[in-house]
Amino acid sequence: MRFDEDKIYSTLGERSQDDTGYRFIESAQKVIDFDEITKEIADKYRNKRPMASCDALYFKDKNHIYLIEFKNARRSYIGKNFFLQKAYDSALTVNYAFLQSLSLEQIRERLYLIIVFNDDSVKEKEQNSENFRKIKKTFESLAGYKNRVLFGLDIYKGILYKDVLTIDKDFFMEQVYKEIF
């Protein structure tokens, strides 16, 4: 499928922008505006009925394709099933828009879903103490927090995606960003 080249490219920073205009990731890394891709497909093939979509798409190479969704909210404020439709529709849209020659099983071996939430986005913190934050990060690390899939998205791991990550922006920028880009 062919897309309007002037509309589909963006930066990761632009894709992390919320409805108020706040960007919680600062990055000039070039990515595909996956919301725009999904909109163009919906306009053409779904009689302009919207589909759910992730914010960004990045092809690292033929075996590593990343869908990234940004949510400028603390994870405790996000509903358990908030991302399920986005994850489902996005995987099928990648198949239709870019990889029609591959089966869903072949795509599953290449496709990764990353949900990045912003635990720092809420002005009134649960605890403003820096010591409390350090203790909390330590407990999260010991509990395997970095590998735990949140929001019910674990149902898609191994079905639509090779791996699913649900992480906060700090972990994304400190650990995951440099592995992908």
Side-chain angles (χ1 to χ4, degrees):
M1 186 164 176
R2 300 188 63 73
F3 299 99
D4 184 340
E5 297 282 322
D6 295 330
K7 290 183 179 180
I8 67 166
Y9 292 104
S10 185
T11 68
L12 199 62
E14 291 168 337
R15 300 312 313 137
S16 77
Q17 186 170 306
D18 67 14
D19 293 338
T20 69
Y22 174 72
R23 294 181 189 183
F24 75 88
I25 299 289
E26 291 300 323
S27 171
Q29 174 62 49
K30 197 171 193 177
V31 294
I32 295 172
D33 179 342
F34 200 64
D35 288 327
E36 180 61 32
I37 295 291
T38 303
K39 180 186 175 304
E40 287 187 30
I41 290 172
D43 287 352
K44 188 171 183 176
Y45 297 107
R46 291 178 45 99
N47 197 26
K48 298 187 180 186
R49 287 190 345 250
M51 296 175 3
S53 65
C54 290
D55 295 313
L57 175 66
Y58 181 71
F59 288 88
K60 181 175 182 175
D61 55 45
K62 70 177 188 163
N63 292 316
H64 297 89
I65 305 164
Y66 297 93
L67 279 164
I68 306 170
E69 173 66 16
F70 296 102
K71 186 67 175 165
N72 190 25
R74 185 184 294 151
R75 72 175 165 226
S76 61
Y77 287 18
I78 303 169
K80 181 183 184 296
N81 298 322
F82 181 82
F83 297 110
L84 291 176
Q85 193 66 50
K86 283 181 183 266
Y88 182 81
D89 285 357
S90 293
L92 296 181
T93 301
V94 166
N95 177 224
Y96 181 77
F98 297 102
L99 304 170
Q100 287 184 358
S101 64
L102 300 178
S103 69
L104 281 176
E105 290 78 22
Q106 292 170 311
I107 292 170
R108 174 185 62 222
E109 293 304 311
R110 300 166 181 171
L111 191 59
Y112 298 82
L113 175 64
I114 303 172
I115 305 294
V116 182
F117 53 86
N118 187 9
D119 269 351
D120 294 332
S121 72
V122 180
K123 289 184 181 11
E124 66 280 351
K125 302 289 184 208
E126 294 166 350
Q127 284 278 355
N128 284 327
S129 163
E130 186 58 31
N131 288 334
F132 179 78
R133 183 179 173 161
K134 288 178 184 176
I135 291 168
K136 186 176 171 184
K137 288 245 183 228
T138 300
F139 281 121
E140 287 174 341
S141 180
L142 292 172
Y145 159 75
K146 303 303 184 215
N147 297 321
R148 193 174 77 222
V149 179
L150 304 173
F151 315 114
L153 292 167
D154 53 326
I155 65 169
Y156 293 134
K157 187 175 178 176
I159 303 295
L160 294 175
Y161 296 94
K162 184 167 186 163
D163 202 1
V164 176
L165 297 174
T166 54
I167 54 180
D168 68 21
K169 78 168 188 169
D170 292 336
F171 187 75
F172 176 74
M173 292 307 292
E174 293 166 9
Q175 302 291 324
V176 177
Y177 184 89
K178 55 186 157 193
E179 288 182 31
I180 296 174
F181 305 106

